Amino acid sequence: MSHPLSQQYREILVGLGENPEREGLLDTPKRAAKAMQYLCHGYQQSLDEIVNGALFESDNDEMVIVKDIELYSLCEHHLLPFIGKAHVAYIPTGKVLGLSKVARIVDMYARRLQIQENLTKQIADAIQRVTNAAGVAVVIEAKHMCMMMRGVEKQNSVMSSSVMLGAFRESCNTRHEFLQLIGRSN
């Protein structure tokens, strides 16, 4: 446990007008520091570590999709959560990525202070770099607590972001097939 981080949470409590010595708050700085370290553990991970050699020979050259990957991240502007789903597709060129690695890549980047637009691009770029795919597509749909709990307080708003690389950018048919398969197109 990072003592300086715990101390900083204690100072936040004082700054809010709370008494960090009252019973309910005695261990809060330590718990908050531990929680924040967990929520941001993506900084301690690398793409090579996550993939761990899980690329497998395959003569499949058809679209591979992993959809509805839940994600939890923190908005870098307010340190409030955004929660949603990622849909990731790629077109293999001789190798496929182990299934769980797609979700682990999403998690690694989501567990950093983020904005959704950058998260979407980081995931797409990582899948492209690892697989050397003919194309990569990522769509993220998320609810942002910074919009729901403060500011405009819009409870039903959902942000969608997408990144299309290679064949998904170049071919309307490929992009349409992906969007249709994840249920985002008629």
Side-chain angles (χ1 to χ4, degrees):
M1 179 57 56
S2 170
H3 177 69
L5 193 53
S6 295
Q7 187 59 37
Q8 290 163 342
Y9 273 106
R10 186 180 193 290
E11 293 304 316
I12 288 171
L13 291 174
V14 170
L16 292 172
E18 265 293 355
N19 174 8
E21 300 302 319
R22 78 173 171 84
E23 182 183 9
L25 294 177
L26 280 175
D27 290 329
T28 296
K30 182 170 56 174
R31 287 191 300 264
K34 187 176 182 180
M36 187 58 80
Q37 287 174 327
Y38 178 78
L39 294 173
C40 293
H41 72 264
Y43 290 116
Q44 279 69 55
Q45 298 176 308
S46 72
L47 190 55
D48 289 340
E49 172 186 285
I50 293 294
V51 173
N52 195 26
L55 277 171
F56 306 102
E57 296 289 330
S58 175
D59 58 3
N60 176 42
D61 63 357
E62 297 294 328
M63 192 180 305
V64 175
I65 301 174
V66 184
K67 68 181 204 172
D68 295 327
I69 303 167
E70 69 247 12
L71 67 85
Y72 307 92
S73 194
L74 290 174
C75 161
E76 68 185 35
H77 300 140
H78 302 100
L79 299 183
L80 291 173
F82 63 93
I83 300 163
K85 295 179 182 178
H87 313 288
V88 179
Y90 68 98
I91 300 172
T93 56
K95 294 195 182 256
V96 293
L97 183 59
L99 177 61
S100 71
K101 303 307 182 183
V102 175
R104 290 180 192 278
I105 289 169
V106 169
D107 284 346
M108 179 182 75
Y109 289 109
R111 294 304 186 154
R112 299 174 181 186
L113 301 179
Q114 283 287 8
I115 61 171
Q116 182 174 328
E117 299 91 334
N118 290 349
L119 175 59
T120 310
K121 182 154 180 31
Q122 290 167 354
I123 293 165
D125 289 344
I127 297 292
Q128 178 64 49
R129 191 165 47 248
V130 168
T131 63
N132 196 30
V136 174
V138 177
V139 169
I140 294 178
E141 302 162 312
K143 290 190 166 215
H144 292 249
M145 296 304 122
C146 58
M147 248 185 91
M148 297 170 70
M149 296 175 65
R150 54 158 301 282
V152 297
E153 296 186 37
K154 299 301 177 202
Q155 303 308 305
N156 297 307
S157 62
V158 176
M159 179 180 175
S160 294
S161 55
S162 70
V163 171
M164 306 287 167
L165 303 176
F168 291 95
R169 179 179 286 272
E170 296 158 6
S171 168
C172 290
N173 289 338
T174 302
R175 183 171 46 258
H176 179 75
E177 178 184 353
F178 165 65
L179 293 171
Q180 189 172 37
L181 288 169
I182 66 169
R184 302 306 176 266
S185 177
N186 293 332

